[in-house]
Amino acid sequence: MLPLLPEPDTTMLLDTLNIIAVSAEATTAALIANRYRMDWFGVAVIGAVAGLGGGTLRDVLLNHHPLTWVKDPWLLLLTTVFALIGAAMAARMQKLRHLFLALDAMGLVVFTVGGCNVAYELHQSMAVCVIAGMVTGCAGGVIRDVMCNVVPLLFQQELYASVSAAVACVYLYCFETLQMPQMSAVSLAMITGFLLRGLALRYNWRMPTFSAS
Amino acid sequence: MLPLLPEPDTTMLLDTLNIIAVSAEATTAALIANRYRMDWFGVAVIGAVAGLGGGTLRDVLLNHHPLTWVKDPWLLLLTTVFALIGAAMAARMQKLRHLFLALDAMGLVVFTVGGCNVAYELHQSMAVCVIAGMVTGCAGGVIRDVMCNVVPLLFQQELYASVSAAVACVYLYCFETLQMPQMSAVSLAMITGFLLRGLALRYNWRMPTFSAS
Amino acid sequence: MLPLLPEPDTTMLLDTLNIIAVSAEATTAALIANRYRMDWFGVAVIGAVAGLGGGTLRDVLLNHHPLTWVKDPWLLLLTTVFALIGAAMAARMQKLRHLFLALDAMGLVVFTVGGCNVAYELHQSMAVCVIAGMVTGCAGGVIRDVMCNVVPLLFQQELYASVSAAVACVYLYCFETLQMPQMSAVSLAMITGFLLRGLALRYNWRMPTFSAS
C-alpha cells in the first residue's frame, strides 16, 4: 500500500495545490457575484462558500472534524482577499469568460484530487473516495450557484462532474491499484483533468442526453 | 418496549423498503431532471441526491455516522441505475405525471417510517423522531428541487409534509404507545400515508392557507 | 479570562434572548412564506428552518452535538406557534415591511451574539467565533430564502452580513480582549447591531460595490 520511497513533500504539494484551488474558486465566485452588483461583503461571503464549501461538505459527510477552516482560519482571509481581487478584476475587464473557466477548471481538478485523498486517508472504500473527490470538486460551485439563484453550472456545462469523476478514478487507480508514487498519481490525474476539461470546452463535448431519443 | 414475539424479519423488511424507496426517489429525480435536458451524468447526480439526500441530512443532524451510503456504497450504484432507467422512460413516455406521483408518494411514506425508526433506535424524544421521519421523507425532494432551481414540491403540493407528519405519528403511536409489533406498526403507518396522499391528490385536498382570510 | 464577579444570570439572559430571536425569525419566515400562498404546514416548516437553521448549521460545522432542537424539542413547538402567528398577522395587515425588518434585525443581532458565544465556549479561535456568529445570524434567513427560491436578502439588503460581523467583533473585543462582564459585552454588541442596522435601513447605507468603477 505504501509507496516504495519516502515522499516527504507530497503532503506539502497537496497543501499547496489546495491553497491554489481555494484561491482560484474564491476568485471565480467574485466574477459571478459581480453580475448581481453585490457589495464587497457579499462577494467575500460567496468567495468563502465557493472556496471552502466543497471541502466543508465532504468533511461533514465523512464526520472529519475539525473542518479545514476551523483548524486554519487564515484560509478565510485567503478567500476574502482573492474574492476582492476577483471583483476588482471583474469591474475592469470585459472578457472574463476564459479566465473564469480556467480558474474554475483548476479548482475542479485540484479539489477532486485533494478530496479523494482525504477519504483515502480515512480508509474509505474506493466508491466513497470517488464521491468525496467529486463532492469536494463540485459542491462549492453548486452551493455558490444555488445561493446566487442560478441553475448550477454543474448541470449546464460540458463534462463537468464527469471530469471530476475521471480525475478521481485516475488518481485512485494509479495510487492504489498501480501503487505509483503519490506525486506521479497526483500529476497524472491533474493532467487528465485539465486535458479533458479543456478539450470538452474547446470542442464543445457533451455527454449524451436522453431527451433527444 | 420490546414486542412480545421476536421479529427477526423487521429489520430486513425496513431495509428492503428503504432500498425500494431509494430506487423510487432516484427515478423521480430523473423524471424532473429530464425537463432540463441534463446529460446522463447530471441525472445520476440528481438521482443520488434525491434518493440518499433525506437520510444523509437526518444522519448529519443526529450525528449518526457513518452515513448509509458511506457504509454501503452500492446504494450509489442503485441510485445511478434507477436514475438512468427513469431518464430512459421519460424520453419515451408522454404521460408520466401519475407514475411520478406514485413513486414520489412511495418514497415519502417509506422514508418517513425508516427515518422515524432510526431516531427511535437512537433513543431520541418522540418530537425528534417525527422530525427525523419528516426530514428523511421530504428533504431529498427539497434538495433535488433547490438544485434544479424549482420551487420545492413540498410547498406547492397537496398535503405533502403533512402526510409525512401523519405517517410518523401513526407509526410512533402504534409502535411505542400501543406497543404493537413493529411489522404491524410499519404496515398501518404506510397504509395511512398512501391513503392520505392518494385521497389528497384525487380530491385535490389542501391545507387551509391564511392569505384568503 | 473569567469575569471578576460571578454572573449567574448571563446564561439565562443568553437563553432568553435566543428564545426571543428564534420566535422573531420564525415570524419573519411566515411573513415571507405568506406571499407564496403556502398552507399552514409549509409555513411551520419554513418557520422552523428560519428560526433554527442558523444554529443548526453552526453546530454541524463545529461538530457540536446534540443540536439545540434535538436537546430541547419544544423549540420546534415555539417556531410553529410563532410562524402561525406571523401568517395570521400577514393575512390581516397591509404594511408589514417595518415589522418584518425589525424582527429580522432582532434575529440577526441576537443570533450573532449567541453563535459567537457558543464557539467561544468551545475554545475556538477568534476568527472562527466571528464566523460562527455570522453563520448563526445569517444562515437561517439564507436557507429560508433559498427554499422559497428567492435571491437571499443577505445579498440584496443594506449592511446585512456586515452588521453581523460588526456585532461579533464588538462582542468578542469587549468580552475577551477588554475582559468586560459578559452582560455588558452582550448589551454593547446588541446596541451596536441595532444602531447600525437601523441607520443603514433609515439612510439607505450600502457597502461599496465594484461594478460601478
Side-chain angles (χ1 to χ4, degrees), chain A residues 34 37-42 45-46 56 60 63 65 67 69-70 73 76 84 87-88 91 146-147 149, chain C residues 60-61 63 124-125 127-128 131 134 142 146 149-152 155 161-162 165 207-211 213:
Chain A
N34 195 61
R37 294 194 165 256
M38 270 181 203
D39 62 41
W40 63 260
F41 209 95
V45 170
I46 292 284
T56 297
V60 166
N63 201 23
H65 290 277
L67 306 177
W69 54 268
V70 170
L76 295 162
L84 296 182
V146 165
M147 282 178 83
N149 211 20
Chain C
V60 165
L61 293 177
N63 201 22
Q124 298 292 345
S125 62
V128 171
I131 299 295
M134 290 177 62
V142 171
V146 165
N149 210 19
V150 178
V151 175
F155 304 125
S162 348
M207 299 288 273
T209 61
F210 287 90
S211 46
S213 70

Side-chain angles (χ1 to χ4, degrees), chain C residues 69-153:
Chain C
W69 55 268
V70 170
K71 203 171 56 182
D72 300 319
W74 59 267
L75 284 168
L76 295 160
L77 187 64
L78 190 77
T79 57
T80 304
V81 168
F82 275 88
L84 296 183
I85 289 176
M89 285 197 306
R92 285 204 181 71
M93 294 160 64
Q94 294 298 315
K95 303 203 172 165
L96 290 162
R97 187 150 176 82
H98 284 98
L99 177 65
F100 172 78
L101 288 174
L103 289 171
D104 195 64
M106 176 174 294
L108 177 69
V109 170
V110 175
F111 274 147
T112 301
V113 173
C116 253
N117 204 57
V118 166
Y120 182 78
E121 288 180 356
L122 294 171
H123 306 291
Q124 298 292 345
S125 62
M126 287 300 107
V128 171
C129 289
V130 172
I131 299 295
M134 290 177 62
V135 165
T136 318
C138 305
V142 171
I143 307 174
R144 169 195 71 197
D145 294 345
V146 165
M147 283 179 82
C148 293
N149 210 19
V150 178
V151 175
L153 280 180

Side-chain angles (χ1 to χ4, degrees), chain C residues 165-176 180 185 188-190 192-193:
Chain C
V167 168
C169 291
V170 169
Y171 173 67
L172 290 171
Y173 183 72
C174 292
F175 185 44
E176 165 68 13
M180 284 170 56
L188 261 179
M190 284 180 56
T192 310

Side-chain angles (χ1 to χ4, degrees), chain B residues 47-61:
Chain B
V49 166
L52 301 167
T56 296
L57 181 57
R58 174 201 65 216
D59 288 344
V60 166
L61 293 178

Side-chain angles (χ1 to χ4, degrees), chain B residues 25-119:
Chain B
E25 285 291 345
T27 313
T28 67
L31 301 185
I32 284 201
N34 195 63
R35 292 186 216 155
Y36 295 88
R37 292 195 166 258
M38 268 180 203
D39 61 42
W40 64 260
F41 210 95
V43 166
V45 170
I46 291 285
V49 166
L52 301 167
T56 296
L57 181 57
R58 174 201 65 216
D59 288 344
V60 166
L61 293 178
L62 297 179
N63 201 21
H64 180 227
H65 289 277
L67 305 178
T68 49
W69 55 268
V70 171
K71 204 172 55 183
D72 299 320
W74 59 267
L75 284 168
L76 295 161
L77 186 64
L78 191 77
T79 58
T80 304
V81 169
F82 275 89
L84 297 182
I85 291 176
M89 286 197 304
R92 285 204 181 73
M93 294 161 63
Q94 295 297 316
K95 303 202 171 166
L96 289 162
R97 187 152 177 82
H98 284 98
L99 176 65
F100 173 77
L101 288 174
L103 290 171
D104 194 66
M106 178 175 292
L108 178 69
V109 169
V110 175
F111 275 147
T112 301
V113 172
C116 253
N117 204 56
V118 167

Side-chain angles (χ1 to χ4, degrees), chain A residues 133-145:
Chain A
M134 291 176 62
V135 165
T136 316
C138 304
V142 171
I143 307 174
R144 170 195 70 198
D145 294 345

